[in-house]
Amino acid sequence: MSADCTAPPRAYAVRSQLVRVARKVAPDGGAVVEQQRADDVTVALPGGTQPRPGQFDAAAVPPGSADETVRSPLGLRPSGNDGSLEVEPSGAKRRRGWFGRLVVVLGWIALLAGLTGVGLHYSSVSSEPLVLAASFTPYLLVGSLIALVLLLITRAWRSAMAAALVTAAALWSQLPMFVPDGTAPPGVDVAVMQSNVLFGQADMTAVVQAVRDNRIEVLTLEELTPAAVTRLEAAGIADALPYRYLEPANGGQGSGIFSRYPLEAGSKLTGFLLNNVRVTMIHPDLGPVAVFQFHPIPPNLDFAAWTSEMRTIADLLDQQPGKVIVGGDFNSTFDHSAYRKLLNDRYADTAELLGVGALPTWPNDRSWGPVLGLDRVLVAGGHATEIHSLTIPASDHRAVVARLRL
């Protein structure tokens, strides 16, 4: 830049790395700075007077004097009304405008949401509000990533560091659901389908068609009513799955298991408000395989019962030896500690085994759904080779189809 030395002093803001500048060149306030290079500045005095050689050399001027020259990565700024310039201190914080401050506030709000999600995931506190909130943990965890981006943009470095730590904790909490657990070893494949049929109102013809299309061998159903059983029979369920153990009931209490292979020792499990059942399937290649169908009460309807029933499920599974297939609407997700307690050295969630994520299934009758993965297939003594969900018309749950290898 150049300057007219006869013009009134002008304020300059020079920003360049390692710029050599004069803090206050002339007491009469007439100094103007002209940048020559990134590390060289020429000072012009009023009336065209040129400075003496070395006059403004940093080595020649005592530090702190009016004519001190320094190096600054940020450049110059006006000093007072006399037209002189001073160094903007190195590393000085630039003042944020209202928009920058707003972005920082939004970043912290998002960060608190992410931190809440991490806390809910790892919390084992038995509290209904916390359990219900934990259902939405994955969506809260996204807040930590949003916070990290916003705080980095605004160069709020300390806050961004906090956001990075929370983001790391969030990713760690969800990692098991997104990283496949190896590959299935050789064995016998068994196709399983799990479906909640919404008080028996679901399209039973579609259920039977899904069984045929996916060559299902074991079907677990919740909210099975006597009328729904009649419609299943009319749709030809016996042709695909001729064996059954059913505990149908009106409302959402009923349940049942259908199988391609003979069933033995069917029983209705005690300790549940809704019907939960167990059978032993006699597979031609595997021999006896235990099959459970679970449907604990939703925690928002009876929290104490839900807590008790989740413990009962854990006890029943721990006591069951051998190969086990489990299908159910657990009214809980991977982010509930009560559900994760079911997954131990023997039992694994098929969605977790294959690293497909939460696999949300409910609610499927809303334009914004599904958002929660309530319907799960578990396995003990095996692995999984495939899993997906599908829509059953007139049901509020997506069905889950899993191909197990036992």
Side-chain angles (χ1 to χ4, degrees), residues 190 192 194 218 220 289-292 294 310 313-314 317 323-330 332 334 338-344 346-353 373-384 387 400 402 404-406:
V190 178
V192 179
Q194 147 61 30
V218 177
T220 58
V289 178
V291 181
F292 286 91
F294 287 121
M310 292 299 291
I313 292 174
L317 294 181
K323 294 178 171 62
V324 184
I325 296 172
V326 182
D329 169 7
F330 285 89
S332 56
F334 180 75
Y339 177 77
R340 293 197 304 279
K341 288 178 180 177
L342 307 180
L343 311 177
N344 49 37
R346 291 190 60 224
Y347 291 91
D349 184 309
T350 51
E352 179 185 359
L353 286 172
L374 304 182
D375 298 81
R376 321 302 294 178
V377 174
L378 279 60
V379 61
H383 208 286
I387 187 170
V400 173
L404 308 180
R405 181 163 293 173
L406 303 176

Side-chain angles (χ1 to χ4, degrees), residues 260-345:
R260 183 182 297 181
Y261 311 111
L263 300 178
E264 296 180 352
S267 62
K268 177 182 174 182
L269 302 171
T270 60
F272 297 91
L273 295 179
L274 307 178
N275 295 345
N276 292 245
V277 300
R278 177 203 175 278
V279 299
T280 298
M281 177 181 69
I282 308 301
H283 192 280
D285 298 317
L286 299 168
V289 178
V291 181
F292 286 91
Q293 171 276 322
F294 287 121
H295 190 203
I297 194 76
N300 59 312
L301 296 184
D302 191 329
F303 181 72
W306 176 84
T307 302
S308 174
E309 290 178 7
M310 292 299 291
R311 286 198 297 263
T312 299
I313 292 174
D315 292 340
L316 288 169
L317 294 181
D318 287 343
Q319 295 165 12
Q320 180 63 52
K323 294 178 171 62
V324 184
I325 296 172
V326 182
D329 169 7
F330 285 89
N331 279 312
S332 56
T333 72
F334 180 75
D335 292 292
H336 290 103
S337 61
Y339 177 77
R340 293 197 304 279
K341 288 178 180 177
L342 307 180
L343 311 177
N344 49 37
D345 293 338

Side-chain angles (χ1 to χ4, degrees), residues 12-209:
Y12 290 87
V14 179
R15 294 187 180 274
S16 179
Q17 284 192 329
L18 299 178
V19 177
R20 193 170 180 80
V21 300
R23 181 183 297 251
K24 289 189 178 181
V25 178
D28 59 3
V32 184
V33 176
E34 179 178 330
Q35 180 181 353
Q36 298 295 327
R37 297 193 309 272
D39 60 349
D40 187 15
V41 173
T42 299
V43 180
L45 299 179
T49 304
Q50 295 298 318
R52 299 188 308 274
Q55 179 181 359
F56 300 104
D57 193 321
V61 181
S65 69
D67 295 334
E68 178 183 1
T69 61
V70 298
R71 289 179 178 268
S72 170
L74 296 180
L76 306 175
R77 64 186 180 193
S79 176
N81 298 321
D82 58 359
S84 60
L85 302 174
E86 68 177 3
V87 175
E88 182 176 316
S90 176
K93 295 182 179 179
R94 286 172 288 182
R95 187 175 299 172
R96 295 188 184 95
W98 68 268
F99 182 75
R101 292 193 295 271
L102 176 62
V103 172
V104 171
V105 170
L106 293 176
W108 268 100
I109 292 174
L111 179 56
L112 291 176
L115 186 60
T116 299
V118 171
L120 290 171
H121 176 86
Y122 289 107
S123 174
S124 58
V125 176
S126 183
S127 165
E128 181 177 353
L130 293 181
V131 166
L132 296 179
S135 303
F136 302 94
T137 291
Y139 305 99
L140 292 171
L141 295 179
V142 174
S144 62
L145 183 58
I146 294 174
L148 181 60
V149 172
L150 293 178
L151 295 171
L152 285 175
I153 289 175
T154 55
R155 300 185 180 182
W157 304 122
R158 293 182 181 178
S159 297
M161 185 177 296
L165 293 175
V166 175
T167 299
L171 292 175
W172 184 258
S173 72
Q174 301 299 301
L175 196 63
M177 292 299 293
F178 290 92
V179 177
D181 189 8
T183 56
V188 177
D189 286 354
V190 178
V192 179
M193 178 171 160
Q194 147 61 30
S195 182
N196 181 313
V197 294
L198 185 60
F199 308 130
Q201 299 173 12
D203 186 339
M204 295 303 159
T205 300
V207 172
V208 174
Q209 190 61 49

Side-chain angles (χ1 to χ4, degrees), residues 377-397:
V377 174
L378 279 60
V379 61
H383 208 286
T385 62
E386 177 187 348
I387 187 170
H388 66 274
S389 64
L390 54 88
T391 294
I392 300 296
S395 174
D396 60 341
H397 287 247

